[in-house]
Amino acid sequence: MNERSTAGDAWPRFTPVADHALLVSFGDAIADDTSAAVLGLDRALADSPPPGMAECVPALVNLLIDFDPVVTDHEQVRAHVERLLRTSSRGQAPGQLREVEVCYDEDFAPDLAAVARAVGLSIDDVVNNHRQAQYVVRMYGFAPGYAYLSGVPRAIQVPRKPAAVRGIAAGSVLIAGPQCLVSTLTMPTGWSIIGRSPTRILTPNERVPFLFAVGDTVRFVRIDRALYEARKATEREQAERERDLTEREQTERHA
């Protein structure tokens, strides 16, 4: 999708999904005003949900409202949404600024040279463009903790690869078109891998399981290999402490 705004008189559009959900769309392209409208409605629904709403799932340009069809229906949910849109502010509350450390060493960034060739820049220029940009968390999807960030500068935008590559390590920093993502699991990807981050995206906090919230701003900070390895060593120690604490709590619970 292009980064052009499409919000206007034709939006929002309402699409019934099966007998238990309504899709509310504010555009068909990634744009700041479209995202602000999605997040504004998400907050309004959190403050004033319609009867029977099970959950709402915000995405890049739309929001899915899932509901109990025994309690309500598409028409009643749509009427509730239209009332909220008439009375609620569509401004986007500022999110928090998050910093994500990245090591751009060659073995962590197997596609960096290919990206540089594709866009006609040096590797350092690609890295500088990537780390100097400001990104916004637009949505979660695909896998736990996969936060889709917008903001990749046009100068280093490349399309997805023709085919996905298997076994890409967790923590890989990926780009495709205007989007960026830090992987949290070892999985296949068709995006270009330009670095690896030791920053912990998945947290042990059950109430706040991810580092990012939708709407947060993200800045990437370059680190060297020594600091990357130190961060990972600290993470392993912390994971061992958390595992020991969990096992102790389970033992005490069943004693």
Side-chain angles (χ1 to χ4, degrees):
M1 288 190 287
N2 299 321
E3 284 186 295
R4 63 181 177 80
S5 171
T6 56
D9 294 339
W11 309 95
R13 294 175 181 169
F14 298 87
T15 306
V17 179
D19 65 345
H20 58 84
L22 181 69
L23 185 69
V24 186
S25 302
F26 291 93
D28 58 6
I30 300 172
D32 289 341
D33 57 348
T34 306
S35 178
V38 170
L39 298 181
L41 178 58
D42 185 41
R43 288 195 303 275
L45 287 167
D47 294 338
S48 178
M53 187 180 85
E55 66 171 339
C56 57
V57 183
L60 295 174
V61 299
N62 50 37
L63 180 148
L64 183 72
I65 305 169
D66 192 44
F67 57 82
D68 184 346
V70 176
V71 177
T72 188
D73 57 27
H74 300 101
E75 289 73 21
Q76 293 183 59
V77 173
R78 173 173 177 162
H80 186 92
V81 169
E82 289 177 331
R83 282 195 298 274
L84 289 178
L85 293 176
R86 286 195 299 270
T87 58
S88 301
S89 169
R90 294 177 62 175
Q92 182 175 354
Q96 296 190 49
L97 174 61
R98 307 289 186 179
E99 288 193 346
V100 175
E101 295 178 327
V102 185
C103 178
Y104 295 95
D105 280 11
E106 185 176 357
D107 56 332
F108 284 167
D111 296 323
L112 195 51
V115 171
R117 286 194 300 271
V119 300
L121 296 175
S122 67
I123 289 177
D124 282 343
D125 285 340
V126 172
V127 170
N128 289 335
N129 268 275
H130 180 256
R131 67 181 182 81
Q132 290 172 358
Q134 187 163 281
Y135 302 80
V136 177
V137 181
R138 297 296 189 187
M139 59 172 282
Y140 275 101
F142 186 65
Y146 270 48
Y148 287 76
L149 316 179
S150 67
V152 174
R154 288 186 180 277
I156 62 170
Q157 289 184 12
V158 291
R160 288 171 58 96
K161 299 174 184 175
V165 178
R166 295 177 184 271
I168 303 306
S172 294
V173 179
L174 315 172
I175 60 172
Q179 298 185 80
C180 183
L181 188 152
V182 182
S183 65
T184 57
L185 303 171
T186 298
M187 296 184 73
T189 184
W191 293 26
S192 294
I193 309 156
I194 64 167
R196 192 175 300 174
S197 173
T199 301
R200 196 173 186 179
I201 307 299
L202 299 176
T203 80
N205 187 336
E206 293 182 356
R207 295 176 59 84
V208 187
F210 308 132
L211 172 65
F212 307 127
V214 174
D216 281 354
T217 300
V218 176
R219 187 169 71 90
F220 290 98
V221 178
R222 185 173 193 170
I223 60 172
D224 60 21
R225 188 59 164 264
L227 184 54
Y228 174 89
E229 299 296 349
R231 296 280 196 248
K232 295 301 290 183
T234 300
E235 180 184 334
R236 287 192 291 271
E237 293 172 359
Q238 184 177 351
E240 290 178 4
R241 288 196 297 271
E242 292 168 357
R243 185 168 54 251
D244 291 344
L245 178 61
T246 300
E247 291 175 353
R248 189 161 56 248
E249 290 175 344
Q250 290 176 341
T251 300
E252 292 173 355
R253 192 176 302 125
H254 293 91

